[in-house]
Amino acid sequence: MTQKKTQWPLWLIKLFTYEYWTWWAFYLPLIPYWLYQAFRTKSLTFFTNADPCIDYGGFFGESKIDILKQIPAQYLPQTVFITQGCSFEFVLEQIKTLEYPLICKPNVGERGTEVEKIADEKALKNYFDSHPIDFIIQEYIDYDIELGVLYYRLPNEEQGYVSSVVKKEFLSVIGDGTSSIETLMQQSTRARFQLENMKKRLGMDFYKIPQRHERILLEPIGNHCRGTKFLNGNELINEQLHEVFNKIAKPIEGFHYGRFDMRVRSIQDLYKGQYIRVMELNGVSAEPGHIYDPEYKLLKAYKDLAYHWRIIANISIQQQKLGIKPVPTKVLWKVIKEHFGK
């Protein structure tokens, strides 16, 4: 008889595994370094002038559709912007050239919140009714490879560089012919963190027994907070990749730092700059996602974050010399209070 493998409680795993820490706990030790960069730049909000083409540099509360409109169209999925207060009939008219499944996401949002894959018109109606906000509808890109590519360019330089690549492995289980999806999830630490969410989402399918070797994709959204495994993909960085992202990023006037969350058909296509679809572009709040690789060490992660914060500070210093000032601290603080006071 096979003995059941002992599992550590999730709270204990979370305590000793930094990829599961809350964002504020993870960043707390870096506050002195942030203050040092604030001293260098003579501004507590030095990061807000790195990308003047994005509200507050992309630190907080930026409009996704405003950013997407600035990316060259050949790199985008078909995208429709839905404003709050319109009718569902209007929505259907706007998406008549698209096919299901679709991706719906709030126009302003963070960390994959309320991003959903929509299978049919009924699901779209449910999303519409439950989200009385501005939101975005995108075609679903079924390319197998999803990456987060962090790019930067100093304002006084013609060429920019890719400094981080994260490969995303979607949350899934492999059937054994006898175990339910619930049981299979309980055998995986990463999946255990998503048990309650998946139970609500799958309904009775949560207890379905997949066939032997059958792969069940549980989460189609490539967000770390929703169970996606982030893997260090920095081995993909080379001169070809720098050149590809210079072509993508340089047409975006005022853009100097950010992460392109994208899908690509193959790595060969990536280096050729083709079959690339950018779902989102995040500004200065974008993290070098490779640091959340389960094999990565905490001190190395902090070192890599500090390296990127220094890049942002260097961009800010150059921007200030060009007359582009950071957003005043009191203005940014007001925006943050209004957001969390909703």
Side-chain angles (χ1 to χ4, degrees), residues 144-157:
D144 291 334
I145 300 172
E146 182 162 333
L147 304 172
V149 179
L150 202 154
Y151 167 94
Y152 74 91
R153 182 177 64 85
L154 297 175
N156 65 348
E157 295 184 358

Side-chain angles (χ1 to χ4, degrees), residues 6 51 58 72 74 117 119 196 200 231 250 283 300 331:
T6 302
D51 292 328
Q74 66 264 36
K117 182 179 177 182
E196 289 304 314
K200 294 177 183 177
L231 300 172
K250 287 183 68 177
K300 183 68 167 65
V331 173

